[in-house]
Short mmCIF file of all heavy atoms in Angstrom, two decimals:
data_model
loop_
_atom_site.label_atom_id
_atom_site.label_comp_id
_atom_site.label_asym_id
_atom_site.label_seq_id
_atom_site.Cartn_x
_atom_site.Cartn_y
_atom_site.Cartn_z
N ALA A 967 56.25 -135.38 -94.51
CA ALA A 967 56.50 -135.86 -93.15
C ALA A 967 55.20 -136.51 -92.63
O ALA A 967 54.08 -135.98 -92.85
CB ALA A 967 57.01 -134.73 -92.26
N LEU A 968 55.42 -137.61 -91.91
CA LEU A 968 54.24 -138.28 -91.28
C LEU A 968 54.67 -138.59 -89.81
O LEU A 968 55.60 -139.40 -89.62
CB LEU A 968 53.82 -139.54 -92.00
CG LEU A 968 52.66 -140.34 -91.44
CD1 LEU A 968 51.42 -139.49 -91.53
CD2 LEU A 968 52.43 -141.61 -92.26
N ASP A 969 54.04 -137.87 -88.90
CA ASP A 969 54.44 -138.02 -87.43
C ASP A 969 53.22 -138.45 -86.66
O ASP A 969 52.29 -137.65 -86.36
CB ASP A 969 54.98 -136.72 -86.90
CG ASP A 969 55.49 -136.82 -85.47
OD1 ASP A 969 55.27 -137.90 -84.86
OD2 ASP A 969 55.93 -135.81 -84.91
N LEU A 970 53.16 -139.73 -86.37
CA LEU A 970 52.02 -140.30 -85.57
C LEU A 970 52.57 -140.98 -84.30
O LEU A 970 52.02 -141.94 -83.84
CB LEU A 970 51.24 -141.35 -86.43
CG LEU A 970 50.66 -140.79 -87.71
CD1 LEU A 970 50.07 -141.93 -88.53
CD2 LEU A 970 49.64 -139.72 -87.42
N SER A 971 53.58 -140.30 -83.74
CA SER A 971 54.22 -140.87 -82.58
C SER A 971 53.40 -140.74 -81.31
O SER A 971 52.57 -139.81 -81.23
CB SER A 971 55.62 -140.28 -82.36
OG SER A 971 55.44 -138.82 -82.23
N HIS A 972 53.55 -141.64 -80.37
CA HIS A 972 52.98 -141.55 -78.99
C HIS A 972 51.43 -141.52 -79.07
O HIS A 972 50.84 -140.82 -78.32
CB HIS A 972 53.47 -140.33 -78.25
CG HIS A 972 54.98 -140.18 -78.18
ND1 HIS A 972 55.70 -140.94 -77.25
CD2 HIS A 972 55.85 -139.52 -78.92
CE1 HIS A 972 56.95 -140.63 -77.39
NE2 HIS A 972 57.09 -139.80 -78.38
N MET A 973 50.83 -142.28 -80.00
CA MET A 973 49.39 -142.23 -80.10
C MET A 973 48.68 -143.54 -79.69
O MET A 973 47.51 -143.66 -79.69
CB MET A 973 48.97 -141.91 -81.54
CG MET A 973 49.20 -140.48 -81.95
SD MET A 973 48.51 -140.10 -83.55
CE MET A 973 48.91 -138.33 -83.71
N GLY A 974 49.53 -144.54 -79.34
CA GLY A 974 48.95 -145.82 -78.94
C GLY A 974 48.30 -146.62 -80.06
O GLY A 974 47.44 -147.44 -79.80
N LEU A 975 48.73 -146.35 -81.27
CA LEU A 975 48.11 -146.94 -82.46
C LEU A 975 48.54 -148.43 -82.61
O LEU A 975 49.63 -148.78 -82.18
CB LEU A 975 48.53 -146.25 -83.72
CG LEU A 975 48.14 -144.71 -83.78
CD1 LEU A 975 48.72 -144.11 -85.02
CD2 LEU A 975 46.61 -144.54 -83.76
N GLN A 976 47.63 -149.24 -83.06
CA GLN A 976 47.98 -150.68 -83.23
C GLN A 976 47.42 -151.15 -84.61
O GLN A 976 46.35 -150.80 -85.03
CB GLN A 976 47.34 -151.49 -82.14
CG GLN A 976 47.66 -153.01 -82.25
CD GLN A 976 47.11 -153.78 -81.11
OE1 GLN A 976 46.97 -153.30 -80.02
NE2 GLN A 976 46.81 -155.08 -81.31
N GLY A 977 48.25 -151.97 -85.27
CA GLY A 977 47.85 -152.49 -86.55
C GLY A 977 49.11 -152.79 -87.38
O GLY A 977 50.23 -152.64 -86.92
N ARG A 978 48.93 -153.29 -88.60
CA ARG A 978 50.02 -153.46 -89.51
C ARG A 978 50.19 -152.26 -90.35
O ARG A 978 49.27 -151.50 -90.62
CB ARG A 978 49.71 -154.72 -90.41
CG ARG A 978 49.73 -156.03 -89.67
CD ARG A 978 49.47 -157.19 -90.64
NE ARG A 978 49.46 -158.46 -89.96
CZ ARG A 978 50.50 -159.23 -89.81
NH1 ARG A 978 51.69 -158.85 -90.31
NH2 ARG A 978 50.42 -160.40 -89.18
#
Side-chain angles (χ1 to χ4, degrees):
L968 183 60
D969 184 356
L970 300 176
S971 59
H972 306 279
M973 289 188 178
L975 303 173
Q976 181 176 332
R978 292 180 180 270

